[in-house]
Amino acid sequence: MKVWDLPTRLYHWVQLVLFIGLIVSGITEEGPHVIAGLLLFSLLLWRITWGFVGSETSRFSQFLKSPRVVIQYLKGNYPEAPGHNPAGALMVLALVALLLAQCFTGLALAGMLDPLPNSELWLTEELFDVFVLVHENLFKVLIAFSVLHVLAILVYKLKSKPLVKAMFTGIQEGSTFPPVTFASNLLALVILVVTLIISYLFYYYHL
């Protein structure tokens, strides 16, 4: 049955492409690193918003569970549900939070936080140095989490649960759940346009 909407699937694959591009351009110091970072920032803002107003399986309220439920799931004592499982939901939350932190510190390093109100008061040299340290090292943590994510996908593949295929097609094979409620693709597009405008304003006002 269909469990993933088109916006969520596109988000997943575009994020992957941007992440790889940012890692390569960051290490080689070549390529449109700042532009790619702004696009990823827009994408993350979009995903966070979609997590509140999007389709049922994309909403944080649907897949984020308590630590007790995660432990139950890992022990095999939690019923299967459409979308992210409780353990996978923690990975989603961690990756979104880490990527958002990397983008935010990147905005600071690029001077795009300078036009914000009273930035001369709160964006001190000491805080800027912290942002530099975080931005230059957090990508290593992100790579580690990404490797863990891929390993988890391989484990599920061995268990005959093709998660990658489901993220392409939107269909979770071999599952029978009550119909999933999907939000409008047009709404997703509108939100994406708004987040792109926000990123553009960061870029425009720092020039």
Side-chain angles (χ1 to χ4, degrees):
M1 66 171 291
K2 185 176 180 180
V3 297
W4 297 118
D5 59 23
L6 178 61
T8 300
R9 285 180 280 142
L10 288 176
Y11 160 81
H12 184 275
W13 298 116
V14 173
Q15 176 184 264
L16 175 62
V17 171
L18 289 173
F19 178 69
I20 293 174
L22 283 162
I23 291 294
V24 173
S25 61
I27 293 175
T28 63
E29 298 185 356
E30 296 181 358
H33 189 76
V34 173
I35 298 301
L38 283 170
L39 290 175
L40 180 59
F41 182 61
S42 297
L43 203 65
L44 289 167
L45 293 180
W46 174 89
R47 181 62 184 92
I48 292 170
T49 306
W50 199 241
F52 292 99
V53 302
S55 301
E56 180 181 350
T57 48
S58 300
R59 295 196 177 201
F60 299 128
S61 60
Q62 190 271 347
F63 61 79
L64 290 180
K65 306 297 182 182
S66 67
R68 179 179 59 83
V69 171
V70 174
I71 293 173
Q72 287 180 342
Y73 172 79
L74 293 175
K75 290 181 177 180
N77 298 325
Y78 191 78
E80 187 178 0
H84 295 297
N85 61 61
L90 289 182
M91 178 61 72
V92 171
L93 182 63
L95 286 173
V96 169
L98 290 171
L99 287 169
L100 191 61
Q102 188 72 348
C103 286
F104 186 79
T105 55
L107 289 174
L109 270 59
M112 295 185 187
L113 298 185
D114 294 348
L116 293 180
N118 301 316
S119 63
E120 69 279 1
L121 299 178
W122 59 267
L123 190 56
T124 62
E125 291 186 9
E126 291 78 12
L127 182 58
F128 186 85
D129 290 341
V130 171
F131 286 163
V132 171
L133 183 64
V134 170
H135 195 78
E136 291 180 348
N137 291 278
L138 189 57
F139 81 94
K140 300 172 186 176
V141 179
L142 279 162
I143 291 175
F145 269 79
S146 299
V147 171
L148 182 62
H149 183 53
V150 171
L151 289 176
I153 290 173
L154 292 176
V155 170
Y156 279 103
K157 178 66 175 178
L158 294 175
K159 293 182 177 181
S160 299
K161 293 183 178 180
L163 300 184
V164 173
K165 184 178 180 181
M167 194 53 70
F168 273 113
T169 65
I171 298 173
Q172 192 167 322
E173 297 178 353
S175 301
T176 54
F177 306 112
V180 173
T181 302
F182 292 100
S184 165
N185 289 340
L186 179 59
L187 174 62
L189 179 60
V190 171
I191 296 171
L192 179 59
V193 170
V194 171
T195 61
L196 286 170
I197 291 174
I198 291 173
S199 291
Y200 174 75
L201 291 175
F202 273 104
Y203 179 77
Y204 176 81
Y205 281 107
H206 99 287
L207 295 178

